[in-house]
Amino acid sequence: MLSYLRQVAICESVRETIKQALVQSDDVGIRQKAHTIPTYDSILRAVSLDPSINDEETLKTFIVKHIMGNLRLTAIQKEHLNLNG
């Protein structure tokens, strides 16, 4: 199990990567989604409900899927961002 502080660091890193991808998009609709990324504490609450998350790669995959699900991007928008989860 990863320590909480390590989870926070990983979560913030993944959030920032996704946020930068959204902000740098040339699609206004996608750029606006950058403001709807869930907070790290919201994401980590969801992480705490899944006991199968026990390493960094699993955590990163879960966070990306969680954020992408919350952003409700279309398949075309996901493809455009190359963030298919």
Side-chain angles (χ1 to χ4, degrees):
M1 183 83 184
L2 298 169
S3 73
Y4 181 76
L5 292 177
R6 185 68 187 135
Q7 288 179 7
V8 170
I10 291 168
C11 184
E12 282 298 313
S13 174
V14 171
R15 283 182 78 247
E16 186 61 29
T17 300
I18 292 173
K19 183 176 182 177
Q20 288 304 313
L22 295 171
V23 169
Q24 294 173 2
S25 173
D26 51 350
D27 181 331
V28 175
I30 293 175
R31 283 196 309 262
Q32 290 176 339
K33 298 281 186 172
H35 302 292
T36 62
I37 295 175
T39 61
Y40 78 88
D41 53 332
S42 170
I43 295 168
L44 292 178
R45 272 193 300 268
V47 167
S48 71
L49 298 175
D50 189 341
S52 68
I53 299 173
N54 55 11
D55 62 26
E56 285 189 29
E57 286 307 311
T58 307
L59 177 61
K60 288 177 184 177
T61 301
F62 179 88
I63 293 170
V64 169
K65 287 182 180 179
H66 183 76
I67 291 172
M68 297 307 285
N70 276 284
L71 292 177
R72 296 184 180 130
L73 297 171
T74 66
I76 294 170
Q77 289 173 324
K78 288 179 187 177
E79 184 179 312
H80 179 73
L81 289 172
N82 197 22
L83 292 171
N84 291 319

